[in-house]
């Protein structure tokens, strides 16, 4: 076990979910060809080997924000759990519409279920109707029985599984990279001709405009919005946009705003009322990308809510186990047990290793000292002792 994950030793359910999250994030970022298999070329052009070395050297797992952060896993899984209304480990369109307080339009959610990228698939997109075999991540022609999208599987009710949701959420919360921009570009490309036309953009914005007016917001005409988008992107052809227009080095950081304008109501309103000073602060903060920034804020929001829930329980004379406080929200323990058909262990019958929890929290704290810091403290202490002795003499 990584020292930053010692507290998971007795919790196999979360070990599997954490591992599945890490694998899915790796495939999302590295397997850009979406074949379900990472090629040697993709591996060479990725940062995966560097991150393997990084996580091997770093004692605080949450400092390894690429792929391995437990806090990032917690944010992803809690959001999926909150949306899964019937707790069948799959999301329906109605569930996904509730994401981020109904931020997304029905038009884009429908397109996600039709054409959204699927995890561990060989070019298969959308059609979230197949069941999975124990969330298998092996997808090779030599092992068709382990293929997570094996056509021999029984049809199940429509739904988006957890790995597919990770693809969606990573794309939604950080539209400043190639993977997310391609995800949304494909959703907007209604006729699959590798271009997004003005009519296709108008189709999505018409729904967005209806939502704006229903909220009493000032209606912004499509023509005005289109002018802003074209000025921002400056494409080669103003009548149709291509993916390369979004991926230009000098445009990739801003081009994702176009998708927010077309189908994310909250982010569109935030963009319209943006504060230049806050935007400057955002560019100068310590986060590497929008996902890291979002995950940090969301994790602390969840932690604050959980702390309030625990405090309320104490006021009512209710006591809770440490594992219930940290690893679960409401009935997440039972939910995890239902999620794994082959898992017969109950989360409620396990006890948390409190010492490991305390040690892990100390390692992840801002005041945690490495060897250099410790040596500096020793030197300062010795100097203070000498000064005190001299003053006494």
């Amino acid at each position: 076990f990584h020292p930053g994950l010692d507290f998971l030793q007795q919790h196999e359910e979360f070990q599997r979910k954490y591992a599945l999250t890490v694998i899915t994030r790796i495939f999302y970022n590295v397997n850009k060809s979406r074949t379900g298999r990472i090629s040697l070329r993709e591996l060479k052009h990725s940062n995966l080997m560097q991150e393997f070395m990084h996580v091997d050297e770093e004692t605080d797992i949450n400092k390894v924000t690429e792929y391995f952060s437990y806090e990032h896993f917690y944010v992803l899984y809690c959001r999926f759990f909150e949306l899964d209304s019937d707790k069948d480990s799959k999301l329906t369109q109605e569930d996904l519409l509730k994401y981020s307080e109904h931020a997304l339009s029905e038009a884009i959610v429908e397109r996600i279920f039709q054409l959204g990228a699927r995890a561990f698939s060989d070019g298969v997109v959308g059609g979230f109707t197949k069941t999975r075999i124990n969330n298998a991540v092996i997808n090779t022609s030599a092992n068709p029985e382990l293929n997570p999208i094996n056509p021999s599987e029984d049809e199940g009710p429509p739904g988006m599984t957890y790995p597919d949701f990770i693809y969606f959420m990573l794309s939604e919360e950080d539209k400043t990279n190639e993977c997310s921009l391609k995800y949304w570009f494909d959703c907007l490309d209604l006729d699959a001709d590798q271009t997004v036309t003005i009519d296709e953009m108008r189709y999505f914005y018409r729904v967005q405009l209806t939502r704006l007016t229903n909220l009493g917001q000032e209606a912004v005409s499509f023509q005005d919005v289109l002018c802003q988008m074209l000025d921002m992107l400056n494409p080669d052809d103003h009548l149709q946009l291509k993916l390369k227009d979004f991926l230009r080095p000098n445009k990739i950081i801003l081009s994702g705003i176009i998708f927010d304008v077309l189908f994310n109501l909250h982010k569109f309103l935030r963009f319209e009322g943006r504060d230049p000073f806050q935007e400057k602060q955002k560019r100068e903060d310590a986060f590497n990308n929008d996902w890291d920034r979002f995950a940090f804020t969301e994790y602390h929001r969840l932690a604050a809510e959980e702390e309030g829930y625990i405090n309320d329980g104490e006021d009512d004379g209710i006591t809770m186990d440490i594992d219930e406080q940290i690893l679960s929200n409401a009935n997440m323990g039972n939910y995890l047990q239902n999620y794994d058909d082959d898992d017969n262990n109950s989360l409620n019958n396990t006890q948390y290793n409190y010492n490991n929890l305390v040690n892990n929290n100390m390692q992840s704290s801002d005041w945690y000292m490495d060897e250099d810091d410790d040596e500096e403290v020793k030197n300062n202490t010795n100097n203070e002792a000498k000064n005190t002795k001299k003053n006494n003499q």
Side-chain angles (χ1 to χ4, degrees):
F1 268 89
H2 188 281
L5 297 172
D6 283 343
F7 60 92
L8 289 181
Q9 285 191 14
Q10 304 302 319
H11 299 276
E12 295 183 4
E13 304 94 337
F14 277 86
Q15 291 174 23
R16 282 191 294 275
K17 299 305 168 293
Y18 171 79
L20 177 61
T21 303
V22 171
I23 294 170
T24 304
R25 292 188 65 184
I26 289 174
F27 269 77
Y28 174 82
N29 284 288
V30 179
N31 183 218
K32 291 183 170 62
S33 61
R34 296 292 180 256
T35 60
R37 295 175 292 274
I38 296 176
S39 66
L40 182 60
R41 179 183 180 86
E42 288 174 328
L43 182 62
K44 288 181 177 179
H45 286 81
S46 73
N47 62 348
L48 185 57
M49 301 309 297
Q50 294 94 312
E51 291 306 315
F52 279 154
M53 292 186 286
H54 184 192
V55 74
D56 189 48
E57 298 169 354
E58 178 60 63
T59 57
D60 184 357
I61 195 72
N62 292 316
K63 290 184 178 179
V64 190
T65 55
E66 290 278 359
Y67 314 124
F68 297 99
S69 170
Y70 179 82
E71 291 182 357
H72 290 194
F73 152 71
Y74 191 80
V75 168
L76 287 162
Y77 197 80
C78 283
R79 184 61 68 92
F80 181 80
F81 173 77
E82 291 171 356
L83 293 174
D84 188 9
S85 57
D86 56 3
K87 300 299 178 279
D88 66 345
S89 72
K90 288 200 273 187
L91 302 183
T92 64
Q93 289 190 36
E94 290 73 20
D95 292 332
L96 196 60
L97 279 170
K98 299 174 185 176
Y99 182 84
S100 190
E101 299 181 352
H102 296 83
L104 301 174
S105 67
E106 292 186 17
I108 194 63
V109 170
E110 183 178 348
R111 283 294 290 172
I112 291 170
F113 271 68
Q114 291 175 353
L115 207 65
R118 300 187 64 163
F120 317 124
S121 65
D122 190 359
V124 177
V125 295
F128 296 112
T129 57
K130 295 291 183 181
T131 56
R132 297 296 182 98
I133 303 178
N134 295 329
N135 288 303
V137 298
I138 302 174
N139 185 14
T140 64
S141 56
N143 297 280
E145 70 280 1
L146 295 179
N147 191 330
I149 312 180
N150 192 328
S152 66
E153 294 180 11
D154 294 332
E155 292 283 349
M160 174 184 285
T161 63
Y162 176 55
D164 298 324
F165 175 77
I166 293 176
Y167 271 40
F168 156 77
M169 189 167 174
L170 292 176
S171 300
E172 169 55 25
E173 299 303 339
D174 186 2
K175 299 185 180 76
T176 62
N177 59 76
E178 179 183 353
C179 297
S180 61
L181 292 174
K182 187 178 188 308
Y183 184 100
W184 295 118
F185 183 90
D186 290 343
C187 287
L188 262 60
D189 184 12
L190 297 176
D191 54 5
D193 64 349
Q194 304 302 310
T195 63
V196 173
T197 64
I198 292 177
D199 287 338
E200 287 169 332
M201 288 187 283
R202 182 184 288 109
Y203 166 77
F204 288 97
Y205 187 73
R206 186 184 298 119
V207 180
Q208 186 83 307
L209 185 60
T210 300
R211 302 177 76 204
L212 280 171
T213 55
N214 288 341
L215 288 176
Q217 298 290 330
E218 180 182 357
V220 183
S221 70
F222 175 72
Q223 196 62 36
D224 292 340
V225 167
L226 180 62
C227 289
Q228 285 186 356
M229 291 190 294
L230 294 178
D231 288 343
M232 181 187 306
L233 205 59
N234 192 23
D236 295 332
D237 187 345
H238 280 56
L239 297 179
Q240 55 185 13
L241 306 181
K242 296 183 178 180
L243 182 59
K244 66 177 183 179
D245 296 324
F246 292 83
L247 298 180
R248 287 172 178 161
N250 62 331
K251 300 295 182 181
I252 194 169
I253 298 297
L254 297 174
S255 58
I257 296 173
I258 294 176
F259 298 121
D260 292 335
V261 170
L262 293 176
F263 55 72
N264 189 308
L265 182 61
H266 300 336
K267 291 184 178 180
F268 176 37
L269 293 175
R270 199 178 307 148
F271 171 70
E272 286 290 294
R274 63 192 180 281
D275 183 348
F277 178 72
Q278 290 182 349
E279 290 298 316
K280 182 176 183 295
Q281 284 185 320
K282 179 180 174 180
R283 292 192 297 269
E284 296 175 352
D285 63 23
F287 298 105
N288 295 322
N289 50 57
D290 286 348
W291 166 253
D292 289 351
R293 187 180 296 105
F294 167 82
F296 176 85
T297 304
E298 184 68 6
Y299 177 80
H300 285 82
R301 181 189 70 81
L302 290 169
E305 288 183 356
E306 188 68 23
E307 183 179 355
Y309 175 68
I310 294 169
N311 291 337
D312 290 343
E314 291 176 350
D315 293 340
D316 295 335
I318 300 173
T319 58
M320 301 179 67
D321 292 336
I322 298 296
D323 60 333
E324 292 175 334
Q325 297 175 15
I326 305 299
L327 293 179
S328 68
N329 277 329
N331 296 319
M332 188 181 284
N334 295 331
Y335 175 66
L336 283 169
Q337 194 173 7
N338 294 331
Y339 191 88
D340 292 312
D341 294 333
D342 61 337
D343 181 21
N344 296 318
N345 298 323
S346 173
L347 183 63
N348 295 328
N349 293 329
T350 60
Q351 292 295 324
Y352 217 152
N353 187 327
Y354 183 74
N355 290 331
N356 286 337
L357 172 65
V358 173
N359 290 335
N360 182 65
N361 286 340
M362 290 177 65
Q363 292 171 354
S364 63
S365 298
D366 293 335
W367 47 265
Y368 174 72
M369 296 184 297
D370 56 22
E371 293 181 357
D372 293 336
D373 294 331
D374 193 35
E375 187 65 28
E376 182 179 353
V377 170
K378 289 179 180 178
N379 293 335
N380 291 338
T381 303
N382 291 335
N383 291 335
E384 291 178 1
K386 292 177 180 179
N387 293 333
T388 302
K389 183 177 180 181
K390 183 177 180 180
N391 292 335
N392 291 336
Q393 290 176 349

